[in-house]
Amino acid sequence: RYRQRYADLIINPSVKETFVKRTLLMTTIREYLNSRGALEVDTPVLQAIPGGAAARPFATHHNALDVPFYLRIANELYLKRLIVGGFEWVYEFSRNFRNEGMDRTHNPEFTVLEWYTAYKDYIWMMEITEQLFEKIAMTLHGKTELTVGDKTINFKAPYRRISIIEAIQENTGIDITGMDEAALREVCKKLHIDVAPTIGKGKLIDEIFGSTSEPKYIQPTFIIDYPIEMSPLTKKHRSKEGLVERFELMVNGKELANAYTELNDPIDQRKRFEEQLGLMERGDDEAMFIDHDFLRALEYGMPPTSGIGIGIDRLCMMMLNQPSIQDVLFFPQMKPESNID
């Protein structure tokens, strides 16, 4: 079906309907954002520095310039440059590439919607996000309560909000507040979570949450207020020491959206990038590169900003009740036939 999608479309009308609804979903998002004054833009896919996310990039080479380039892992840093340049709300449906594993929720090539809005924060972003998701469900199905696999999920706003530390405590009974790397490794050992020696405090917390808590949040839930080590591009929390203003939206045990009150202090940002460089030197191949031009852009001055990334393919899976990411991509990545015995 996936390798010969043309035959699949001929034989199975329901497959064609899935992709018609995928386009309707994206059209609904565009209309929602455009009606509020957002501007759709395009940013580079070939990048000299792969920034905006912690992920392993695909590397290539530009022959005329004789320099290495990377396929983008995210478009975040370019969209923020546009906020510096005076645009107040920009968005892009970004085709991203990550040189990582493949499974039913991951494809090496995927679509993410990112938008950035000046003079807003993550609290405003939560309200906009839940309103958007409710509107998508109503447009596609005429109701907010949908069947996803064997579960019923209600996208009607508002959604529950809980901090990541409280979520871990809720599901494990362990309070990780203030723990250093050594203590977190002991927690992983106690919970039988296998972690690499190269990762730091932020990744350890992410592993604990992902293994013990993430699958438990079936109804739409905002996991908020992450430790600073997990979020190199996020602004420090206005009232909680050691935390940042970030949320991830969990639905059916999976992350659908990731959003911040954006870090706009160039001195703090440089320090965070340098900490990522330390992780890279330890062998973490997903640590972020330092983007000196992005730091220079922040030095010109970026207003207080809120930004979000929404996985369009995963959102389609949820909204259209499809069990695999391959079911919402026309041509999912597969091993070439010439390599198959």
Side-chain angles (χ1 to χ4, degrees):
R1 285 186 51 218
Y2 302 143
R3 194 178 299 282
Q4 299 178 36
R5 181 66 87 185
Y6 41 87
D8 185 30
L9 292 167
I10 293 168
I11 294 167
N12 297 306
S14 63
V15 173
K16 188 173 183 179
E17 182 62 24
T18 293
F19 287 100
V20 170
K21 285 188 174 178
R22 177 187 169 111
T23 297
L24 178 58
L25 181 149
M26 295 177 72
T27 300
T28 301
I29 294 171
R30 277 193 171 93
E31 290 173 349
Y32 181 85
L33 294 176
N34 291 345
S35 70
R36 282 158 176 76
L39 180 72
E40 185 171 9
V41 298
D42 288 311
T43 62
V45 174
L46 280 177
Q47 300 180 354
I49 297 173
R56 184 188 303 159
F58 284 93
T60 186
H61 187 84
H62 192 290
N63 290 336
L65 296 178
D66 193 25
V67 293
F69 273 89
Y70 302 89
L71 295 179
R72 70 177 166 202
I73 56 174
N75 58 348
E76 174 169 342
L77 303 189
Y78 284 93
L79 293 178
K80 286 182 180 176
R81 286 171 170 93
L82 298 181
I83 297 291
V84 170
F87 290 101
E88 290 196 3
W89 190 344
V90 291
Y91 74 94
E92 181 178 18
F93 287 96
S94 174
R95 202 69 168 172
N96 293 349
F97 306 83
R98 297 185 184 176
N99 199 356
E100 298 167 350
M102 294 167 58
D103 57 36
R104 69 182 196 86
T105 60
H106 293 87
N107 192 70
E109 179 181 359
F110 59 99
T111 302
V112 173
L113 165 69
E114 292 203 28
W115 80 69
Y116 293 82
T117 313
Y119 311 110
K120 302 296 182 185
D121 62 13
Y122 80 139
I123 297 170
W124 173 87
M125 188 64 82
M126 279 187 264
E127 294 168 356
I128 289 292
T129 302
E130 61 195 9
Q131 290 169 19
L132 173 59
F133 279 31
E134 181 178 326
K135 180 178 176 59
I136 291 168
M138 288 298 298
T139 300
L140 294 179
H141 303 288
K143 57 183 181 179
T144 59
E145 203 168 70
L146 309 180
T147 299
V148 180
D150 59 353
K151 302 180 183 72
T152 299
I153 294 176
N154 195 341
F155 284 96
K156 185 169 180 58
Y159 304 157
R160 184 190 179 195
R161 303 176 186 186
I162 180 173
S163 78
I164 189 170
I165 291 174
E166 290 171 343
I168 290 171
Q169 188 168 6
E170 180 177 83
N171 292 290
T172 67
I174 300 171
D175 184 0
I176 65 166
T177 303
M179 285 190 180
D180 61 12
E181 184 177 324
L184 288 168
R185 288 190 178 278
E186 283 302 310
V187 170
C188 289
K189 190 174 179 182
K190 180 179 178 181
L191 296 172
H192 308 291
I193 300 169
D194 188 28
V195 291
T198 56
I199 65 176
K201 183 175 174 180
K203 283 277 188 73
L204 289 169
I205 296 169
D206 197 28
E207 290 286 344
I208 294 168
F209 175 75
S211 298
T212 66
S213 306
E214 185 173 322
K216 306 285 181 63
Y217 295 101
I218 304 303
Q219 298 303 320
T221 304
F222 290 117
I223 307 297
I224 66 172
D225 297 349
Y226 283 62
I228 193 168
E229 294 84 0
M230 293 181 71
S231 310
L233 298 165
T234 314
K235 200 165 194 170
K236 290 177 182 176
H237 200 283
R238 65 195 74 184
S239 62
K240 299 176 183 176
E241 187 68 30
L243 302 181
V244 295
E245 296 192 348
R246 173 185 177 187
F247 73 76
E248 288 186 306
L249 176 61
M250 300 294 163
V251 183
N252 199 28
K254 295 292 180 186
E255 173 209 336
L256 271 193
N258 184 22
Y260 315 147
T261 302
E262 301 295 337
L263 178 57
N264 62 341
D265 178 344
I267 298 170
D268 190 0
Q269 183 65 83
R270 185 177 296 278
K271 180 172 175 285
R272 307 259 200 110
F273 274 149
E274 287 168 353
E275 288 167 358
Q276 289 288 303
L277 193 61
L279 292 174
M280 192 178 291
E281 289 166 353
R282 284 176 55 175
D284 185 349
D285 58 7
E286 292 186 351
M288 289 189 187
F289 290 61
I290 295 181
D291 187 332
H292 292 284
D293 178 68
F294 175 65
L295 291 171
R296 181 168 56 191
L298 290 185
E299 288 168 354
Y300 275 78
M302 186 173 86
T305 298
S306 184
I308 190 169
I310 299 172
I312 293 297
D313 307 311
R314 284 190 187 175
L315 180 58
C316 287
M317 288 172 61
M318 299 283 181
M319 290 289 181
L320 302 176
N321 192 21
Q322 297 297 323
S324 170
I325 195 170
Q326 285 84 6
D327 293 312
V328 296
L329 297 172
F330 270 130
F331 304 105
Q333 194 64 50
M334 304 187 75
K335 185 180 285 189
E337 285 187 276
S338 60
N339 294 340
I340 298 173
D341 184 357

